[in-house]
Amino acid sequence: MTRHFDLELKDLKSLLLKMGGYVEKSIEQASLLVIRREPWRFREVQASEIEINLLNKEVDHLCFCLLAKQAPVAKDLRFILAVVKINVDLERMGDQAVNIGYAGVDYVRRPMINITQEMSDMTERVRLMVRDSLDALVNRDVELSRLILERDEIVDQYKARLLDYLQDLMVHDRTLVESALDLIMIARNMERLADHATNIAEEVIFLATGEDVRHKGARLKEVNGG
Amino acid sequence: MELIAVKNLSAWFGEFQALKNISLVAERHEVVALIGPSGCGKSTFVRCLNRLHEEVPGGHLQGEVWLDGQNIYAPGVDPVNVRRGVGMVFQKPNPFPGMSIFENVSVGLRLAGISKRAVLAEKVEQALRQAVLWDEVKDVLKRPGTSLSGGQQQRLCIARALAVEPPVILMDEPTSALDPISTAKIEELIQELKERVTVVIVTHNMQQAARISDRTAFFLLGELVEYGKTDQVFTQPQDERTERYITGRFG
């Protein structure tokens, strides 16, 4: 006999995935805005954010009611707690896409800096991390989640390289300071998006195995003097 | 239009007033749970919905109970007809002794004047399927109803109630005598039943009310303290007494 509760959990998952879809779309539009210098795409980013915020509240409310009414345990409890956290991540990702949009709109009005390829590679990596983190959630895929954790490091390296380059550029060419500052803002937000995708992957590992893998990398770096 | 509308209902056992001026409505296809401590009046309330309360010595009441557009306490209404139209399931499964599984489910239909064997067989099967019991009993329909396990007996009683296709089924603590697995089955069943009937269920188990109902009514000392959507009652009750009861801080 199917549990009625399972149907409610399925609804919850669908809502979260719908939200993830808007987040992906929003990141894609914000990236294209910057890379192709198409400011009109900001409207798309803002439209997605409205949907993301509505879904954020809806998911929260459903989790709240399910916790109150179903007193979930074990796998069900881990799932709802993971959804509560992932919901926060996705909402923040929506905000970050908007931040990229704002900085992008400013950037396209200023002199261009030729880092299109580097920026394009970074945003594509981030977008894939977000997509994979949601796929990992759907399939409770631990292996994919662990790969996402590794890919976060690569995005961090992209950001570091971009920041070095842009700082250097600002010292040598004062006419590009404002453009460089916009791109620094964009790169930082991109890197934060990858962090949120990493959070989702960590939640999936917890959900599937009960293992808490958060903060392990940071601890290791600290010990190794990294 | 609402299926059940209770207006200013008060009920007594002799001098003792068990219900105080209760008004409540329930829509079609809803599960309404009645919760509250022992002696709060929830069972009395449910027994007023099918005119069982007046069968208790000294039992009498005031007010109106409208069921499907009819005031069941209007002069001239036959209480026996009312009870036929409202299924009831009790705490302890009570299949009719001496009757087979088939006879237990078909007895209400026979009383309603259906005698053709083929029609009876079809309706019995339908009711047993709706009660999610058919697969377990289809080959043993001639066995006594009392030969089934407790959980199966309770589902048999639900099938018996469903057979006459009532708009409402009342349940008075239908799982309190059952083990957890049978309880889970009945809970799932109740949520499926609401596609066909409105279920009013009295339960001591607050979590059960939370799990399965659409609306929850909290009774205390004969009063209806709070009645609202279950989502709201269990997340943001409006009355401090409800809050204290559902969080276990009562008394």
Side-chain angles (χ1 to χ4, degrees):
Chain A
M1 190 182 261
T2 319
R3 293 183 315 166
H4 189 79
F5 183 30
D6 286 328
L7 300 178
E8 294 179 301
L9 292 176
K10 208 172 148 196
D11 286 347
L12 183 60
K13 197 167 167 183
S14 301
L15 277 181
L16 198 74
L17 291 178
K18 193 172 165 195
M19 197 173 165
Y22 279 114
V23 169
E24 259 190 73
K25 189 176 160 198
S26 189
I27 295 170
E28 189 177 19
Q29 292 299 316
S31 310
L32 290 175
L33 187 166
V34 175
I35 293 159
R36 296 190 186 164
R37 297 173 75 82
E38 292 172 339
W40 57 269
R41 291 189 187 270
F42 191 40
R43 277 200 303 276
E44 302 278 327
V45 176
Q46 286 176 310
S48 290
E49 203 222 1
I50 291 171
E51 300 294 334
I52 292 166
N53 288 347
L54 287 173
L55 285 162
N56 174 240
K57 286 168 84 168
E58 204 178 333
V59 167
D60 246 357
H61 180 73
L62 191 51
C63 289
F64 186 45
C65 288
L66 288 177
L67 286 170
K69 296 196 306 176
Q70 299 289 352
V73 293
K75 197 164 75 173
D76 299 330
L77 178 62
R78 293 207 303 276
F79 177 70
I80 294 177
L81 285 184
V83 170
V84 168
K85 294 185 202 174
I86 291 169
N87 188 31
V88 174
D89 281 310
L90 290 175
E91 192 275 332
R92 287 296 300 141
M93 289 160 99
D95 290 345
Q96 263 133 12
V98 170
N99 291 345
I100 292 171
Y102 273 120
V105 167
D106 286 342
Y107 171 66
V108 298
R109 283 200 296 255
R110 308 191 208 278
M112 191 176 153
I113 296 175
N114 192 16
I115 51 161
T116 313
Q117 193 54 52
E118 194 78 351
M119 190 56 107
S120 178
D121 289 350
M122 182 181 180
T123 55
E124 185 56 15
R125 278 183 180 278
V126 171
R127 204 177 59 75
L128 282 177
M129 276 178 75
V130 173
R131 169 169 293 180
D132 286 349
S133 69
L134 293 169
D135 283 349
L137 173 68
V138 176
N139 303 316
R140 302 196 177 195
D141 189 335
V142 177
E143 210 161 313
L144 181 58
S145 300
R146 292 196 195 279
L147 285 176
I148 292 167
L149 303 192
E150 288 171 19
R151 280 150 65 187
D152 186 40
E153 297 278 323
I154 301 170
V155 171
D156 287 350
Q157 289 162 12
Y158 266 97
K159 187 199 80 174
R161 278 202 302 275
L162 275 169
L163 258 54
D164 284 348
Y165 176 75
L166 291 166
Q167 281 168 1
D168 204 38
L169 197 67
M170 285 192 285
V171 172
H172 292 100
D173 187 346
R174 295 183 67 93
T175 64
L176 292 177
V177 168
E178 285 179 320
S179 300
L181 285 174
D182 289 332
L183 288 176
I184 288 173
M185 186 85 87
I186 290 165
R188 273 185 190 278
N189 275 290
M190 281 290 171
E191 186 259 337
R192 287 296 298 147
L193 282 170
D195 288 344
H196 286 295
T198 306
N199 289 350
I200 294 174
E202 288 171 346
E203 288 306 326
V204 173
I205 294 172
F206 176 70
L207 177 61
T209 66
E211 185 194 356
D212 186 350
V213 296
R214 292 174 303 168
H215 313 307
K216 283 191 176 167
R219 187 84 190 274
L220 209 63
K221 275 185 195 167
E222 207 177 295
V223 174
N224 294 337
Chain B
M1 196 186 70
E2 61 267 13
L3 181 63
I4 302 169
V6 177
K7 297 177 184 171
N8 307 113
L9 179 73
S10 294
W12 289 263
F13 292 100
E15 295 288 304
F16 173 73
Q17 187 170 3
L19 289 175
K20 297 168 186 167
N21 203 29
I22 310 291
S23 294
L24 172 157
V25 296
E27 307 286 338
R28 284 175 200 276
H29 308 297
E30 278 189 336
V31 177
V32 177
L34 312 178
I35 60 169
S38 297
C40 69
K42 55 191 189 296
S43 287
T44 306
F45 178 80
V46 89
R47 283 169 156 76
C48 290
L49 300 184
N50 67 348
R51 298 196 60 168
L52 262 189
H53 175 66
E54 66 207 52
E55 296 297 317
V56 182
H60 58 111
L61 58 82
Q62 262 178 18
E64 294 173 11
V65 175
W66 291 78
L67 197 67
D68 216 358
Q70 183 197 26
N71 179 6
I72 62 170
Y73 287 99
V77 174
D78 180 359
V80 176
N81 276 340
V82 170
R83 283 170 214 146
R84 271 191 201 150
V86 182
M88 182 129 191
V89 177
F90 296 89
Q91 180 175 357
K92 204 162 167 278
N94 59 347
F96 297 130
M99 280 192 195
S100 70
I101 293 169
F102 185 92
E103 287 163 342
N104 258 284
V105 182
S106 63
V107 64
L109 297 164
R110 284 182 186 281
L111 283 172
I114 299 172
S115 55
K116 276 194 178 166
R117 180 84 196 168
V119 178
L120 286 174
E122 189 190 321
K123 287 192 178 286
V124 166
E125 177 176 341
Q126 184 185 318
L128 285 168
R129 282 189 186 280
Q130 287 169 3
V132 199
L133 188 59
W134 175 251
D135 288 341
E136 292 160 62
V137 300
K138 63 183 179 207
D139 300 323
V140 292
L141 290 172
K142 287 183 180 166
R143 281 198 197 154
T146 47
S147 68
L148 297 171
S149 74
Q152 288 173 325
Q153 285 188 24
Q154 196 60 306
R155 279 181 281 146
L156 179 63
C157 294
I158 292 173
R160 186 174 68 194
L162 285 169
V164 293
E165 298 176 21
V168 181
I169 293 193
L170 310 175
M171 299 189 179
D172 195 351
E173 295 185 41
T175 61
S176 56
L178 304 181
D179 66 82
I181 302 290
S182 301
T183 297
K185 280 188 181 169
I186 301 273
E187 287 186 5
E188 291 300 333
L189 172 58
I190 289 169
Q191 286 172 96
E192 301 212 345
L193 286 182
K194 73 177 182 183
E195 284 175 22
R196 295 182 189 88
V197 294
T198 295
V199 178
V200 181
I201 176 172
V202 172
T203 176
H204 257 124
N205 179 341
M206 251 180 311
Q207 213 53 53
Q208 181 171 68
R211 279 194 296 268
I212 66 171
S213 71
D214 300 294
R215 287 177 193 275
T216 298
F218 171 52
F219 284 77
L220 185 65
L221 301 168
E223 280 179 50
L224 178 59
V225 172
E226 184 159 350
Y227 179 53
K229 287 201 182 263
T230 301
D231 277 355
Q232 177 249 309
V233 171
F234 281 90
T235 55
Q236 271 185 308
Q238 301 297 299
D239 193 289
E240 178 61 26
R241 290 168 292 175
T242 315
E243 174 100 32
R244 278 164 53 207
Y245 182 70
I246 64 173
T247 54
R249 293 190 177 88
F250 221 78

